[in-house]
Amino acid sequence: MGNMPLFVFFKDIRNVFKADELGLEIVHIALPTLLALLADPVASLVDTAFVGHIGPVELAAVGISIAVFNQVSKIAIFPLVSITTSFVAEEDATEELRANEQVHENVENGTPISMEMEMEELVPLVGKSSSTGMVKLEHVRRHIPSASSALVVGSVLGFIQAVFLIFAAKPILNYMGVDSNSPMLKPARQYLTLRSLGAPAVLLSLAVQGVFRGFKDTKTPLYATIVGDVANIILDPILMFVFHMGVRGAAIAHVISQYLISLILLWKLNKQVELLTSGVKDLRFGQFLKNGFLLLVRVIAATFCVTLAAALAARQGPTTMAAFQVCLQIWLAASLLADGLAVAGQVSNGF
């Protein structure tokens, strides 16, 4: 049995569950990331449940609108977050290495470290070592050009997405199978137009999450996401049923939650990173575009299937589309289970 090729995959499997330093670090990164990734699908499931109480037509309309919004968003989101995480991890490691080299040089020259740090306008070093034995910089406003680049790129892409979806909502929905005679058109257009107002906040918050992941800090995005999603869940029934806003209330609640998440993340990030750079030359737009192209092609291919399925379901009528929306949200929540480990591997690769 042990010589069978299948058992090669299970060789030394005990090492996978070994509680060594690297394993614990991966768990500390992956678990909060997983919870943060699950928070939004769970909130979407709650949205779906509330909208379902209005009626199947409204549920189907929201489903097709979410499919359109996600298709357009993910084209920019995945490359932006992945590239930001890698670049920030690389630059943060380089800055720590430079600071440690400066410390060792000061020790060799007999120069007091604290005085030298003040003269060079470097931030204080906290006596904490990383897994590589290097001194870690903490409670620091670091100079990370990739962070500023990600914020600019995310804001611009979010604004472009919002304008595109707001003015092209009707023709896009018609292309997706919601024609002018469909009862889904009006609520779908209302939801898509209002939710598109939150596109800048969505891309900006995800860009900031990429920065925090590059710092190996996955807890801050988790806390911000939980606060935003709880606000969304609270506002949903209030706006939808108390103020009788229907699907518009669901969209407005989601937009408010996204801007709340963005504000929290920017506030926390501003304490750690110098967000304003000295000039455009410090930004890494060229590298963002170069490295993001292949990821962009991959994301389009991956999300096209889901969007096509939504379009075909919409052509079958409101009942079929409503059922598809419920199943899709459950599938999306389950499909994110592996992304936490992916982020942990990506961040660790940058160090």
Side-chain angles (χ1 to χ4, degrees), residues 205-343:
S205 66
L206 288 169
V208 179
Q209 289 186 43
V211 176
F212 278 111
R213 290 176 184 178
F215 293 152
K216 293 187 178 181
D217 178 6
T218 53
K219 292 183 179 179
T220 300
L222 170 62
Y223 299 149
T225 303
I226 291 176
V227 171
D229 286 345
V230 168
N232 184 21
I233 294 172
I234 294 174
L235 289 173
D236 262 344
I238 295 175
L239 297 178
M240 292 172 64
F241 304 120
V242 177
F243 291 97
H244 305 288
M245 299 182 69
V247 296
R248 293 176 299 162
I252 293 172
H254 190 86
V255 169
I256 292 174
S257 70
Q258 292 301 318
Y259 277 100
L260 179 60
I261 294 172
S262 297
L263 289 175
I264 294 173
L265 290 174
L266 284 173
W267 172 60
K268 298 292 290 186
L269 183 63
N270 188 53
K271 294 182 178 181
Q272 300 184 34
V273 177
E274 296 177 359
L275 298 181
L276 298 178
T277 61
S278 58
V280 180
K281 294 182 179 179
D282 285 342
L283 302 178
R284 303 180 65 178
F285 292 141
Q287 289 176 295
F288 267 78
L289 295 175
K290 179 181 178 181
N291 290 276
F293 178 73
L294 294 178
L295 286 173
L296 179 65
V297 174
R298 175 196 166 191
V299 172
I300 292 175
T303 57
F304 176 76
C305 296
V306 176
T307 306
L308 177 61
L312 295 175
R315 285 173 166 82
Q316 300 300 315
T319 303
T320 302
M321 184 60 219
F324 176 83
Q325 165 65 5
V326 174
C327 296
L328 178 62
Q329 291 302 321
I330 296 174
W331 176 79
L332 287 175
S335 67
L336 293 171
L337 293 175
D339 282 7
L341 287 175
V343 170

Side-chain angles (χ1 to χ4, degrees), residues 67-302:
V68 172
F69 185 88
N70 287 344
Q71 172 66 50
V72 177
S73 296
K74 288 183 179 180
I75 290 176
I77 285 173
F78 188 83
L80 176 62
V81 175
S82 298
I83 294 172
T84 301
T85 300
S86 298
F87 283 174
V88 170
E90 177 187 352
E91 290 182 3
D92 190 41
T94 302
E95 180 134 334
E96 286 183 6
L97 180 61
R98 181 183 67 84
N100 278 273
E101 288 177 349
Q102 182 69 50
V103 169
H104 293 315
E105 182 180 346
N106 292 338
V107 172
E108 291 176 359
N109 295 334
T111 305
I113 296 177
S114 58
M115 291 292 294
E116 184 70 19
M117 300 297 268
E118 283 188 356
M119 292 173 60
E120 297 292 334
E121 295 183 351
L122 294 174
V123 291
L125 288 172
V126 177
K128 180 179 179 181
S129 298
S130 66
S131 58
T132 59
M134 294 172 57
V135 178
K136 294 283 289 183
L137 291 172
E138 295 196 349
H139 306 294
V140 178
R141 291 197 72 201
R142 286 163 277 192
H143 178 65
I144 307 291
S146 292
S148 301
S149 304
L151 297 183
V152 174
V153 172
S155 300
V156 172
L157 290 177
F159 177 77
I160 293 174
Q161 176 185 332
V163 172
F164 171 73
L165 289 177
I166 289 173
F167 289 99
K170 185 176 180 179
I172 292 175
L173 291 171
N174 290 338
Y175 181 77
M176 291 291 291
V178 184
D179 56 38
S180 301
N181 297 322
S182 174
M184 294 185 291
L185 179 60
K186 182 178 179 180
R189 187 176 181 181
Q190 289 177 342
Y191 186 89
L192 181 58
T193 301
L194 289 173
R195 181 159 176 172
S196 298
L197 296 175
V202 172
L203 269 73
L204 183 59
S205 66
L206 288 169
V208 179
Q209 289 186 43
V211 176
F212 278 111
R213 290 176 184 178
F215 293 152
K216 293 187 178 181
D217 178 6
T218 53
K219 292 183 179 179
T220 300
L222 170 62
Y223 299 149
T225 303
I226 291 176
V227 171
D229 286 345
V230 168
N232 184 21
I233 294 172
I234 294 174
L235 289 173
D236 262 344
I238 295 175
L239 297 178
M240 292 172 64
F241 304 120
V242 177
F243 291 97
H244 305 288
M245 299 182 69
V247 296
R248 293 176 299 162
I252 293 172
H254 190 86
V255 169
I256 292 174
S257 70
Q258 292 301 318
Y259 277 100
L260 179 60
I261 294 172
S262 297
L263 289 175
I264 294 173
L265 290 174
L266 284 173
W267 172 60
K268 298 292 290 186
L269 183 63
N270 188 53
K271 294 182 178 181
Q272 300 184 34
V273 177
E274 296 177 359
L275 298 181
L276 298 178
T277 61
S278 58
V280 180
K281 294 182 179 179
D282 285 342
L283 302 178
R284 303 180 65 178
F285 292 141
Q287 289 176 295
F288 267 78
L289 295 175
K290 179 181 178 181
N291 290 276
F293 178 73
L294 294 178
L295 286 173
L296 179 65
V297 174
R298 175 196 166 191
V299 172
I300 292 175

